[in-house]
Amino acid sequence: MSQQEVQRYDGTDFPWSKEVERHFKDSFHLSQFRPLQLRAINLTMAGRDLFLVMPTGRGKSLCYQLPAACSHGFTLVVTPLVSLMEDQIMYLKSTDVPAVMLNAFSTKVTT
């Protein structure tokens, strides 16, 4: 993908843009994207593969949480840190975004 094509994903003229903006403000109570967040979210919503590396505290979580909130079905996020999973679940539930986690400490559930 060319640099020009990649930069196109910095825009807000996609079919999902209004839904992303609504959840960004109403569910996550944010007003401005950090660098690379909107591009990563748009690439994800477009179904493109994405490998995103950002320093701690730069907003990586929103890059998968917001597309998940705007999508039908479910989103699977794999992370090696149980404490990060717990923090993410608590935050998502506080914003009324349905979320669950599964890890080595989870109990078996039968139906």
Side-chain angles (χ1 to χ4, degrees):
M1 190 179 324
S2 71
Q3 183 64 23
Q4 185 177 8
E5 187 179 8
V6 170
Q7 287 177 335
R8 172 179 140 39
Y9 286 95
D10 290 333
T12 57
D13 58 341
F14 297 98
W16 56 82
S17 292
K18 287 183 180 164
E19 183 76 1
V20 165
E21 184 70 20
R22 184 179 69 79
H23 279 288
F24 184 66
K25 291 178 178 176
D26 297 345
S27 299
F28 294 92
H29 310 288
L30 298 170
S31 60
Q32 187 173 355
F33 287 103
R34 292 181 180 173
L36 298 179
Q37 282 182 322
L38 183 58
R39 183 183 297 178
I41 290 163
N42 282 332
L43 284 162
T44 300
M45 294 296 292
R48 303 297 302 250
D49 292 334
L50 174 68
F51 183 80
L52 180 65
V53 178
M54 296 170 80
T56 300
R58 297 301 289 169
K60 289 181 296 295
S61 299
L62 185 71
C63 295
Y64 58 81
Q65 291 172 346
L66 188 52
C70 296
S71 301
H72 300 289
F74 74 96
T75 299
L76 176 66
V77 177
V78 179
T79 181
L81 303 171
V82 173
S83 62
L84 179 60
M85 287 184 227
E86 291 169 344
D87 290 346
Q88 297 295 315
I89 293 297
M90 285 190 307
Y91 174 74
L92 289 169
K93 287 184 176 184
S94 77
T95 61
D96 294 324
V97 175
V100 295
M101 74 175 175
L102 176 65
N103 61 41
F105 304 110
S106 299
T107 58
K108 182 179 178 182
V109 177
T110 58
T111 57

